[in-house]
Amino acid sequence: MSEMVTIYKAQPENVSEIMQLLESRGFHPVVVDDAGKMGNYGFHQVRIAVPQTERDTAANIIEQFEQQNHSRISGLVKTTNKILLIAVALLVMATIAVFFDEQGKWSFLAWILIVAFVGVVLIRSAWGGKSHNPEK
């Protein structure tokens, strides 16, 4: 077998996922570092190596995998940012209503809107979780 070359450094919790990805594509990955002996300091990365002859194609597969994860995460971040912006706007509206409403009817309406918004977000997230896993 040819010389082993490190192609990826992963967090210990992600090593098995990367190993399975490479093995399912017919590569022969090897974990260079022992994750159990590294301690619990949080910033250790485990090196994954493949034979020199498999280096380029394995690196391309990992790059595609990372791009897919990045696009999925960026979509989640955009959605979360929208929800947080609306939540902050509703809280600002409620705060203004509480300070300037002497009779309390506008502050009550503001809190009703906040509760309705939170309810809609919770219901959509619960339904959204089921629709993303159709095979279950």
Side-chain angles (χ1 to χ4, degrees):
M1 192 172 244
S2 65
E3 180 182 339
M4 300 301 277
V5 178
T6 300
I7 60 161
Y8 193 72
K9 293 180 182 177
Q11 295 296 325
E13 61 270 9
N14 298 335
V15 170
S16 63
E17 182 179 18
I18 298 297
M19 292 291 288
Q20 288 175 356
L21 173 72
L22 291 173
E23 287 172 350
S24 70
R25 303 283 175 98
F27 295 103
H28 303 91
V30 175
V31 177
V32 177
D33 303 315
D34 185 10
K37 293 183 179 179
M38 296 181 112
N40 295 327
Y41 297 111
F43 293 110
H44 295 292
Q45 293 185 335
V46 179
R47 294 177 294 165
I48 298 175
V50 295
Q52 176 79 27
T53 56
E54 299 176 350
R55 181 185 65 188
D56 295 333
T57 41
N60 287 337
I61 289 188
I62 290 177
E63 184 179 340
Q64 290 172 357
F65 175 74
E66 285 184 338
Q67 287 174 352
Q68 290 172 350
N69 282 344
H70 178 69
S71 65
R72 185 172 15 120
I73 289 172
S74 65
L76 290 173
V77 168
K78 288 177 184 178
T79 302
T80 304
N81 286 343
K82 290 176 187 177
I83 291 171
L84 285 176
L85 180 64
I86 293 170
V88 167
L90 287 172
L91 286 173
V92 167
M93 182 181 72
T95 304
I96 291 171
V98 167
F99 282 124
F100 294 112
D101 186 23
E102 294 176 4
Q103 296 175 352
K105 62 182 177 183
W106 290 109
S107 60
F108 177 74
L109 178 65
W111 287 111
I112 292 294
L113 287 173
I114 290 173
V115 168
F117 173 73
V118 170
V120 167
V121 168
L122 289 175
I123 289 171
R124 287 195 67 192
S125 67
W127 285 344
K130 291 179 183 175
S131 68
H132 291 299
N133 298 323
E135 62 270 357
K136 287 187 178 180

